[in-house]
Amino acid sequence: MTAPQGELFSDALQAQIKARFLHVDHDITGRERLFFDNAGGSFRLKAAVDQFARIDAVPDNPERIHETAVFLQQVQAKGTQDLRTVLNAEGGSVYAALTASGAMFDMVRAIAENVAGSNMVTTVLEHPSSFDAMQLYAQRTGRELRVAPSNPVTGGVDVDAICALVDADTALLSVIYASNISGAKLDIAEIVRRARAIKPDLYIVVDAVQHAPHGLIDLSMTPVDGINIAPYKFFGCRGSGLAWLSDRAALLPHHKLAAKKPDFWDLGSAAPWQFAVMSEIVDYVAWLGGQSGAAGDRRALFARGIEKIELHERALLARLLDGSAAAPGLRHQRGVQVFLDYEDLSKRDLILAIGIDGLEYAQAVREYEQRGVVVYERVATSLYSRRMLESFGLAGAVRVSPLHCHGTADVDRFLRVTQEIAQEIRQAVGGPG
């Protein structure tokens, strides 16, 4: 039975994991720090960075017949298959773009411009890349944009709230896999099942950028028409966005060179390093699955590795919230607020939204930085945050996003720093220490 509060890696395995990543404990100058802003861009695998440099240094065009070109074709083919491994995807088309945001805009455009319907449905918690794409193409195509509200108790969006907006005239449903403020996971399988019960041929796209490094995706269980990931938030490199489209979505009219196949989406010369990095990500997670006793094919090993990541991160989340003998958890620290604190940790990825009484959010981030800790302020004045925060009734939050590379010592250090900041603020305003 799965541990409700997660399961930590062994100390030996934790050390091996840390050793595979860059800058986990020190910044680029060598200064010691605690990096808890992985939701903005995760730690990079050393092997992924090495492969990026190695493959991108090759001048050969993969659309040639000589030996090195054939090698690059093989790199691309393996990386393409490895994205399918991550998603458990059959058929369809893989689209390698510059960013996941660009891929999302392209997918939304193709569906909105070519599928009949009077409305499009999304949620208030979407990243701007998907919400703005939906808003733009709803306006351009003269459709109503319906927006499902958030649930301030769970930090997510209820299935009922989404499906209440879907009808026989819905052209497209776009949902995020997990909130990048609260960490709340949406029930994608149930959303797909119920939405398609309303309209069986409904087109559905999913933004999986935030969730992919933290939990398993299985398109055999959630048969959507488009899904994107960003390797730089998934242990890989910046400058790459990868998406998968279903057979029917891939064939919709879209920007492409006339000579390419109807379901081909890449524009311009391929960047083989994007695919090499994807393979390194899958290699790593599959290695982790093997370390955990899994056997079977590449997907089975990958699935086990992601499961172990999810369980370890859930244990870290539990320790952040409830603490241990080493340090009190955030739920128990005076002057600290945990926003959107839903009890069922199985419904959450490793992201926290907190506040410190008497301290503006950006100033709190500066206080953490002075103590060697990197976190991120989400404030309602930011175009990237306003819509989501206002839906929760929040003016802002300090977002805390560790990664599975971290261990209990890292969490305990963060808790002690938080306690120190909260106590200093109380003393500064004349309250009891």
Side-chain angles (χ1 to χ4, degrees):
M1 186 171 69
T2 300
Q5 297 301 96
E7 181 181 333
L8 292 166
F9 297 136
S10 68
D11 290 344
L13 183 56
Q14 185 73 59
Q16 291 184 64
I17 289 168
K18 271 199 175 187
R20 286 173 174 255
F21 286 84
L22 292 161
H23 304 305
V24 179
D25 297 316
H26 300 84
D27 69 12
I28 195 170
T29 70
R31 291 176 297 190
E32 185 178 352
R33 73 168 181 177
L34 189 61
F35 186 79
F36 274 21
D37 187 25
N38 287 274
S42 74
F43 291 125
R44 272 51 162 164
L45 280 164
K46 293 175 180 176
V49 173
D50 288 346
Q51 277 291 74
F52 169 87
R54 173 174 174 258
I55 300 300
D56 198 47
V58 178
D60 302 61
N61 188 319
E63 296 187 11
R64 301 291 186 267
I65 63 173
H66 59 270
E67 182 179 356
T68 302
V70 171
F71 163 71
L72 293 177
Q73 293 166 21
Q74 293 168 346
V75 168
Q76 289 181 226
K78 184 172 188 292
T80 297
Q81 183 55 42
D82 279 332
L83 179 62
R84 297 179 187 278
T85 296
V86 170
L87 302 174
N88 201 22
E90 297 288 341
S93 293
V94 169
Y95 174 28
L98 179 64
T99 65
S101 295
M104 178 58 72
F105 265 83
D106 288 343
M107 291 190 293
V108 169
R109 175 181 181 171
I111 296 169
E113 290 185 341
N114 296 286
V115 174
S118 62
N119 67 79
M120 296 161 59
V121 176
T122 191
T123 84
V124 73
L125 294 189
E126 302 303 304
H127 185 274
S129 63
S130 49
F131 189 91
D132 293 358
M134 290 288 284
Q135 188 173 58
L136 174 65
Y137 288 106
Q139 291 172 348
R140 285 192 179 181
T141 58
R143 292 189 173 97
E144 175 191 6
L145 181 64
R146 299 175 177 177
V147 182
S150 63
N151 182 331
V153 175
T154 65
V157 182
D158 296 340
V159 176
D160 286 347
I162 294 170
C163 292
L165 302 180
V166 175
D167 60 30
D169 288 319
T170 302
L172 172 61
L173 168 62
S174 174
V175 293
I176 196 168
Y177 219 118
S179 167
N180 59 16
I181 289 183
S182 68
K185 295 183 283 189
L186 276 64
D187 189 345
I188 301 297
E190 186 67 3
I191 291 167
V192 171
R193 185 188 71 80
R194 287 182 52 185
R196 291 254 175 79
I198 298 167
K199 183 179 182 180
D201 62 347
L202 178 66
Y203 279 79
I204 303 173
V205 297
V206 173
D207 173 1
V209 170
Q210 193 62 62
H211 177 66
H214 305 290
L216 192 64
I217 298 168
D218 187 347
L219 294 191
S220 72
M221 304 296 292
T222 59
V224 300
D225 291 286
I227 188 167
N228 66 341
I229 68 168
Y232 84 97
K233 292 190 179 183
F234 196 0
F235 329 143
C237 301
R238 198 178 298 273
S240 173
L242 295 173
W244 176 91
L245 298 104
S246 69
D247 288 323
R248 63 173 185 166
L251 288 170
L252 292 172
H254 56 277
H255 288 158
K256 77 173 197 68
L257 300 180
K260 297 292 186 179
K261 295 186 299 181
D263 63 350
F264 191 80
W265 278 62
D266 291 6
L267 284 171
S269 299
W273 70 262
Q274 290 182 278
F275 302 93
V277 166
M278 189 74 253
S279 291
E280 290 297 337
I281 293 168
V282 176
D283 281 350
Y284 165 71
V285 178
W287 166 81
L288 188 53
Q291 294 296 308
S292 304
D297 62 13
R298 193 161 171 81
R299 169 65 185 186
L301 290 168
F302 178 87
R304 179 57 174 165
I306 285 288
E307 180 188 8
K308 295 300 291 185
I309 286 172
E310 183 176 13
L311 289 172
H312 178 77
E313 292 188 341
R314 191 181 305 165
L316 294 183
L317 180 59
R319 194 175 181 106
L320 278 165
L321 291 167
D322 293 322
S324 66
L330 297 170
R331 286 170 172 164
H332 311 292
Q333 291 193 13
R334 187 178 177 188
V336 176
Q337 301 179 66
V338 181
F339 303 126
L340 311 166
D341 185 15
Y342 191 55
E343 287 290 336
D344 186 352
L345 302 190
S346 71
K347 307 295 186 184
R348 302 170 60 177
D349 284 339
L350 184 54
I351 299 174
L352 280 169
I354 68 171
I356 298 176
D357 292 349
L359 197 57
E360 188 268 330
Y361 302 107
Q363 185 57 42
V365 169
R366 297 186 190 98
E367 292 290 338
Y368 276 111
E369 185 181 15
Q370 290 173 10
R371 294 163 175 81
V373 178
V374 176
V375 288
Y376 176 54
E377 76 280 4
R378 302 299 301 256
V379 291
T381 54
S382 166
L383 295 177
Y384 286 95
S385 306
R386 178 186 303 154
R387 170 174 28 86
M388 296 88 92
L389 288 169
E390 288 180 348
S391 81
F392 291 131
L394 296 175
V398 174
R399 186 177 69 185
V400 182
S401 54
L403 201 64
H404 72 277
C405 309
H406 292 115
T408 55
D410 301 309
V411 167
D412 295 343
R413 177 184 169 193
F414 176 80
L415 292 174
R416 288 192 293 269
V417 167
T418 303
Q419 190 174 38
E420 175 186 312
I421 294 171
Q423 183 175 1
E424 287 188 7
I425 295 302
R426 287 201 307 276
Q427 293 172 342
V429 298

